[in-house]
């Protein structure tokens, strides 16, 4: 079975660094960056992009709706 | 870095990657004024997504409360009005009675709905007004600096109960949702949470149900959403969610409290 692949785009300027997406990810894809955005908050980045399946768990719990999720459709 | 992220994204886009989740158009581009990790943002998003999916964006009127969500109309891309403290259900009653074809909802916190607005809320539910009420319960007054709310737990520290809430002095936590479920005017009463992806999905179904019920003209649909207030509780967001699971959920158990009888 082919692995499902996906990735996330982050609107980092709207992120408030709550780290809920890092906790919510079931595949340990996201990690908080050492850098800060314009407001002074740290923001997440994809540490293990190849592990991402586009399940959108991070986007569902994100309180500031900064995450856009992309997924490669599985071929039938 | 092992993998070039930008190149990886380009490769997946070339393989036909599609957007499976993006911000709904019913939310404006204004960043939320809430603290990082606050459940208000998810609750806003779910309500607006349901409105978009039902195609009732132009037919929905929201009523914002007093509290952290006082400027919710800045974030909702729908018609909205802001009511006096606790009176959101009374305002929603007036809007629904004059515009019975519109979908009307009130969005209130626990200080608004369960403290100062108890009378309005109880009587709105007792009259069986055909509106949806979204009740955000975090057990504390968030906007004014973390004072004790009627919904605060026994032993919970807040700025007006620094040694914890004591039942002989401050009374017991008020579960208004369970009280309102006893009234014949309520049609659908449920309690949900938004701290995990699974709970977010069930919460969205409950919100959808609340809007669908307005077509039936059967009474109030009340969705309580138990959320965190990491600033008021003096915790980080993941700690607050863990504390909520251990302490709030036993006091406010999740699930449907009153479901419509199937005939």
């Amino acid at each position: 079975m082919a692995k499902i692949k996906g990735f996330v785009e982050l609107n980092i300027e709207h992120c408030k660094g709550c780290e809920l997406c890092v906790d919510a990810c079931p595949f340990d894809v996201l990690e908080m960056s050492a850098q800060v955005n314009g407001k002074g908050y740290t923001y997440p980045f994809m540490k293990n992009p190849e592990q991402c399946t586009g399940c959108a768990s991070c986007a569902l719990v994100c309180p500031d709706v900064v995450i856009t999720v992309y997924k490669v459709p599985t071929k039938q | 870095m092992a993998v070039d992220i930008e190149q990886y994204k380009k490769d997946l886009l070339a393989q036909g990657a599609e957007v499976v989740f993006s911000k709904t158009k019913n939310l404006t581009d204004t960043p939320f004024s809430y603290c990082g990790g606050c459940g208000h943002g998810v609750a806003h998003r779910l309500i607006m997504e349901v409105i978009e999916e039902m195609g009732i964006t132009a037919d929905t009127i929201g009523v914002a409360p007093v509290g952290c969500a006082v400027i919710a109309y800045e974030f909702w891309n729908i018609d909205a009005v802001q009511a006096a403290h606790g009176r959101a259900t009374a305002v929603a009653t007036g809007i629904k009675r004059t515009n019975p074809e519109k979908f009307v909802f009130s969005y209130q916190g626990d200080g608004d709905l369960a403290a100062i607005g108890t009378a309005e809320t109880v009587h709105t539910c007792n009259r069986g007004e055909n509106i949806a009420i979204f009740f955000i319960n975090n057990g504390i007054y968030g906007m004014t600096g973390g004072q004790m709310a009627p919904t605060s737990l026994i032993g919970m520290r807040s700025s007006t109960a620094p040694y914890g809430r004591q039942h002989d002095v401050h009374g017991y936590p008020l579960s208004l949702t369970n009280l309102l479920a006893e009234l014949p005017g309520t049609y659908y009463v449920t309690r949900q949470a938004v701290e995990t992806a699974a709970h977010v999905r069930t919460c969205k179904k409950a919100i959808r149900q609340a809007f669908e019920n307005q077509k039936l003209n059967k009474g109030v649909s009340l969705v309580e959403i138990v959320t965190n207030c990491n600033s008021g509780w003096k915790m980080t967001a993941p700690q607050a969610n863990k504390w909520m699971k251990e302490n709030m959920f036993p006091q406010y158990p999740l699930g449907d409290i009153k479901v419509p009888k199937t005939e």
Side-chain angles (χ1 to χ4, degrees):
Chain A
M1 187 187 128
K3 189 184 167 303
I4 304 163
K5 285 193 255 180
F7 67 92
V8 294
E9 288 274 14
L10 298 142
N11 180 4
I12 56 171
E13 284 307 317
H14 282 201
C15 179
K16 293 178 188 151
C18 66
E19 304 185 21
L20 290 183
C21 52
V22 180
D23 272 19
C25 180
F27 301 109
D28 195 25
V29 171
L30 296 168
E31 191 179 70
M32 295 310 281
S33 163
Q35 278 121 29
V36 293
N37 63 11
K39 292 181 195 160
Y41 295 111
T42 56
Y43 53 86
F45 72 101
M46 292 182 84
K47 179 181 61 172
N48 300 316
E50 285 151 325
Q51 298 295 316
C52 183
T53 61
C55 70
S57 289
C58 51
L60 285 173
V61 300
C62 177
D64 291 288
V65 207
V66 304
I67 302 177
T68 307
V69 185
Y70 293 78
K71 191 174 185 178
V72 180
T74 46
K75 293 184 183 72
Q76 294 299 317
Chain B
M1 199 171 290
V3 187
D4 182 7
I5 295 174
E6 293 308 319
Q7 188 58 43
Y8 185 73
K9 287 176 182 174
K10 274 179 200 159
D11 290 349
L12 287 198
L13 282 174
Q15 290 173 35
E18 295 167 355
V19 175
V20 289
F21 180 94
S22 64
K23 188 171 179 173
T24 165
K25 289 189 180 66
N26 281 358
L27 286 170
T28 60
D29 289 334
T30 316
F32 290 140
S33 59
Y34 310 119
C35 312
C38 178
H40 269 307
V42 184
H44 279 10
R45 176 174 68 76
L46 292 181
I47 294 168
M48 292 303 128
E49 278 182 358
V50 166
I51 290 170
E52 187 182 28
E53 283 166 18
M54 289 176 70
I56 55 170
T57 307
D59 297 321
T60 308
I61 302 169
V63 184
V66 170
C68 290
V70 66
I71 53 165
Y73 50 81
E74 293 277 333
F75 315 128
W76 300 340
N77 213 353
I78 61 167
D79 292 331
V81 61
Q82 196 270 322
H85 200 356
R87 276 69 186 176
T89 51
V91 173
T93 299
I95 295 170
K96 185 71 182 180
R97 286 196 176 190
T98 48
N99 302 285
E101 76 288 355
K102 301 284 183 194
F103 292 84
V104 181
F105 72 90
S106 78
Y107 181 98
Q108 298 174 271
D110 51 337
D112 195 77
L113 183 140
I116 193 167
T118 313
E120 281 76 9
T121 310
V122 169
H123 284 290
T124 302
C125 292
N126 195 36
R127 290 193 304 266
E129 300 293 343
N130 191 26
I131 59 170
I133 301 175
F134 300 113
F135 169 31
I136 311 298
N137 179 6
N138 55 16
I140 206 158
Y141 282 72
M143 185 181 78
T144 47
Q147 288 85 358
M148 185 176 61
T151 46
S152 296
L153 307 179
I154 296 290
M156 185 171 166
R157 287 167 189 270
S158 52
S159 61
T160 47
Y163 303 108
R165 182 175 187 162
Q166 297 159 0
H167 64 82
D168 50 344
V169 183
H170 308 117
Y172 293 94
L174 174 64
S175 180
L176 200 61
T177 309
N178 291 66
L179 285 174
L180 295 172
E182 300 294 320
L183 299 175
T186 51
Y187 184 62
Y188 174 61
V189 180
T190 182
R191 186 182 286 120
Q192 303 291 336
V194 290
E195 97 289 7
T196 61
H199 283 160
V200 169
R201 287 196 175 95
T202 42
C203 183
K204 188 170 175 182
K205 282 182 193 145
I207 291 170
R208 171 110 194 187
Q209 182 74 46
F211 277 103
E212 299 277 3
N213 287 346
Q214 289 201 30
K215 293 178 188 166
L216 306 173
N217 226 352
K218 289 276 180 72
V220 171
S221 300
L222 174 62
V223 181
E224 174 178 347
I225 303 172
V226 182
T227 62
N228 59 347
C229 178
N230 38 321
S231 298
W233 297 354
K234 312 276 184 276
M235 296 173 193
T236 65
Q239 278 172 348
N241 276 352
K242 190 161 168 278
W243 190 90
M244 180 168 71
K245 264 180 225 165
E246 289 165 358
N247 299 281
M248 292 283 278
F249 291 174
Q251 179 70 37
Y252 301 109
L254 305 184
D256 292 337
I257 299 165
K258 186 176 188 180
V259 285
K261 291 184 188 75
T262 47
E263 287 162 18

